[in-house]
Amino acid sequence: MGIEDYGGGQGPQPDVLVVTTNDAPGYRVQEVLGEVFGLTVRSRHLGSQIGAGLKSMVGGELKGLTKTLVQTRNQAMERLVEQARARGANGVLMFRFDVTEAADVGTEVCAYGTAVILTRE
């Protein structure tokens, strides 16, 4: 597996700019549209659970679970961007992830932030 299997985020020219900061350098917030989020819940694959259990006995990274979590986070972020776009936003400020266990059957990943309309300064 290459590094592309373990990363995420946006490409170089996104139509909805997503940042973790309160503002975006070079832009002015023209309008705040409110909170947006993207949510997904993934169940664990039995094979990956068995493999993770065996790997935990000898130590090391659980690469299968890492890759699944990256895919899950990327899906949550894509849903956040879709919601922001649907509300007319071209930016999301204060972007964050929240990850929790969902009733012992899977992992819930929520991407959230504040949808805004940005203009270049």
Side-chain angles (χ1 to χ4, degrees):
M1 287 186 262
I3 191 66
E4 64 277 355
D5 294 325
Y6 297 104
Q10 298 183 290
Q13 298 292 324
D15 65 324
V16 176
L17 179 64
V18 179
V19 297
T20 60
T21 54
N22 292 333
D23 55 12
Y27 293 89
R28 182 177 62 81
V29 175
Q30 180 180 327
E31 186 177 350
V32 174
L33 301 175
E35 179 190 11
V36 288
F37 67 91
L39 181 68
T40 185
V41 178
R42 294 276 178 108
S43 63
R44 293 187 194 93
H45 180 277
L46 180 60
S48 68
Q49 280 188 291
I50 292 170
L54 294 172
K55 184 72 170 184
S56 68
M57 288 190 272
V58 292
E61 182 182 8
L62 305 173
K63 291 184 179 185
L65 291 177
T66 299
K67 188 173 180 180
T68 298
L69 184 55
V70 167
Q71 292 168 343
T72 304
R73 286 173 61 125
N74 288 342
Q75 183 178 46
M77 184 173 179
E78 288 168 11
R79 290 178 177 174
L80 167 123
V81 169
E82 288 172 15
Q83 187 182 60
R85 191 181 293 121
R87 292 178 69 181
N90 67 349
V92 175
L93 303 178
M94 295 298 297
F95 171 72
R96 300 286 187 269
F97 281 112
D98 185 44
V99 180
T100 58
E101 290 298 312
D104 294 329
V105 296
T107 302
E108 172 192 328
V109 175
C110 182
Y112 63 95
T114 303
V116 296
I117 296 175
L118 298 170
T119 55
R120 284 204 177 266
E121 291 183 331

